[in-house]
Amino acid sequence: MTDLLTPIPTKWVGPIRVSGNAVEGEYEVPLATYESPLWPSVGRGARVSRMIEGGIVATVVDERMTRSVVVKADSAAAAHIAAGRILARQDELEQIVAGQSRFAKLIEVHPEIVGDLLFLRFAFTTGDASGHNMVTQAADKLLPAILGWEPGLRYVSVSGNFCTDKKATAVNGIRGRGRNTIAEIVIPGEIVEKRLRSSAERIAELNVAKNLVGSTIAGALRSANAHYANMLLGFYLATGQDAANIVEGSQGITFAEARGDDLYFSTALPHLIVGTVGNGKGGDLPVVEDALVRLGCREEREPGANARRLAALCAATVLCGELSLLAAQTNPGELMAAHVAMERRGSKPAGGAA
């Protein structure tokens, strides 16, 4: 079998001005994509961010990685009793995890019972790693202890789909998975009019009609946005992330509000699955290593700080692209004109990307 490299066009966009509890300053961001209009679209949002003191405020509000095991009892009643006893021994479970990993820390155990099946959803902090393998390894260590404590339980699987990994579900947004990050900005009315060729009222009205109502009638699952997946995929590929995690990562909510003539605009991403160490990163992929260095995510910091920084920059990037697209869609014809100009004539319009 011959190994082949698949080239993906990559450009650095920005800089984006960003502040908050994880990163402060102005940073260019890399986007690897075949959809070339994405670069100028995110670039337009980045220019807007630089016109405002503090730029985009990105706040990481929670971080965790999860793995749910599933075991079988003789009955639902037996599963319920076993779950209570397991929860009472969480401190012992925490010690088991601490004994097999320097960075994984068990922070929550949540049981669910369906028939005679007992699902145990473990949540961990994982330092700067996204943590997929780390939490699976931890679950592999926890299961023998649990089955030893509760001989009436039988092993079914180390992963019971209640985690949930790379699938669109509600549980990740409700109970948390990844780095929950919210990006927000307040844009003066004159900037909305001059740089986005729109108004706060029109953008807020479109967000309700398209993202909130449109997504609802489409049956979206805890998701109301225009195209988070575009920015996430470009950012994930350029920084060595598991691209399949855009499935849950793109489940987020855009909020827009007219504050007089000014526009308050935010993007909530409850489950950004990103890390700065682990699979896809390191010396074997110099382009990814260079990206993480340029983003300031290779500095000596407390465990988790580099990954939170990456999540904040990712969320700010999503906001830039989302803002630009919605502004473009308030103007009839602008979206398609941007695609035609960029993809057919090679020029660089400032309009939307999807």
Side-chain angles (χ1 to χ4, degrees):
M1 182 180 293
T2 302
D3 291 334
L4 298 175
L5 294 178
T6 302
I8 302 176
T10 303
K11 287 190 178 182
W12 286 78
V13 178
I16 301 172
R17 180 176 292 173
V18 59
S19 60
N21 65 355
V23 63
E24 192 103 18
E26 294 187 2
Y27 300 92
E28 291 186 327
V29 296
L31 293 173
T33 181
Y34 293 111
E35 189 173 4
S36 53
L38 186 66
W39 299 316
S41 182
V42 173
R44 179 163 72 158
R47 286 193 296 277
V48 169
S49 78
R50 298 196 300 273
M51 303 178 73
I52 296 162
E53 185 176 357
I56 297 167
V57 180
T59 305
V60 181
V61 300
D62 188 50
E63 56 184 326
R64 60 187 61 209
M65 177 49 67
T66 60
R67 179 60 69 209
S68 68
V69 303
V70 56
V71 293
K72 188 177 181 66
D74 290 331
S75 64
H80 174 64
I81 293 170
R85 289 196 292 247
I86 292 166
L87 291 178
R89 303 179 73 165
Q90 182 170 330
D91 57 341
E92 295 177 64
L93 296 175
E94 292 172 5
Q95 292 171 18
I96 292 170
V97 174
Q100 59 88 44
S101 174
R102 288 184 298 158
F103 298 108
K105 294 182 180 179
L106 179 65
I107 58 174
E108 181 182 79
V109 182
H110 177 75
E112 290 280 341
I113 299 169
V114 179
D116 60 2
L117 296 176
L118 171 60
F119 295 80
L120 296 169
R121 190 176 191 266
F122 301 119
F124 308 81
T125 57
T126 56
D128 284 308
S130 61
H132 294 93
N133 293 335
M134 194 182 297
V135 300
T136 302
Q137 184 179 39
D140 269 334
K141 297 294 183 181
L142 293 174
L143 268 168
I146 291 170
L147 295 175
W149 298 341
E150 300 291 333
L153 299 178
R154 299 176 297 284
Y155 172 87
V156 176
S157 177
V158 71
S159 180
N161 267 13
F162 187 45
C163 312
T164 298
D165 189 29
K166 301 167 187 172
K167 289 167 279 289
T169 64
V171 68
N172 289 343
I174 295 169
R175 302 208 63 87
R177 191 172 199 263
R179 290 174 170 87
N180 186 341
T181 310
I182 301 166
E184 58 188 342
I185 191 170
V186 179
I187 309 170
E190 59 269 23
I191 295 177
V192 177
E193 182 177 351
K194 183 176 181 180
R195 298 297 178 181
L196 297 173
R197 299 192 294 275
S198 190
S199 70
E201 183 178 359
R202 287 161 60 199
I203 291 174
E205 182 181 43
L206 175 62
N207 185 60
V208 171
K210 172 187 172 72
N211 285 342
L212 301 181
V213 177
S215 297
T216 299
I217 65 172
L221 188 59
R222 289 188 62 89
S223 187
N225 66 77
H227 71 144
Y228 286 12
N230 268 328
M231 286 73 72
L232 287 176
L233 180 60
F235 193 94
Y236 277 21
L237 290 175
T239 60
Q241 311 306 314
D242 188 336
N245 284 126
I246 67 167
V247 174
E248 65 263 50
S250 62
Q251 289 179 273
I253 297 174
T254 297
F255 185 82
E257 178 181 72
R259 297 181 176 177
D261 292 333
D262 300 343
L263 173 67
Y264 171 81
F265 193 87
S266 75
T267 51
L269 296 110
H271 15 80
L272 281 178
I273 314 293
V274 297
T276 57
V277 297
N279 289 346
K281 276 73 72 178
D284 292 339
L285 296 170
V287 173
V288 168
E289 181 66 18
D290 175 67
L292 293 173
V293 170
R294 287 182 61 176
L295 292 171
C297 294
R298 279 288 189 251
E299 305 291 333
E300 289 291 332
R301 297 187 174 96
E302 66 173 341
N306 279 325
R308 289 190 292 273
R309 178 187 182 90
L310 190 67
L313 290 170
C314 183
T317 303
V318 169
L319 185 146
C320 288
E322 184 80 352
L323 173 66
S324 184
L325 174 63
L326 286 181
Q329 289 190 355
T330 63
N331 299 311
E334 182 177 327
L335 174 64
M336 196 61 227
H339 275 268
V340 170
M342 185 66 185
E343 295 176 349
R344 297 185 184 177
R345 296 200 298 269
S347 60
K348 297 181 179 180

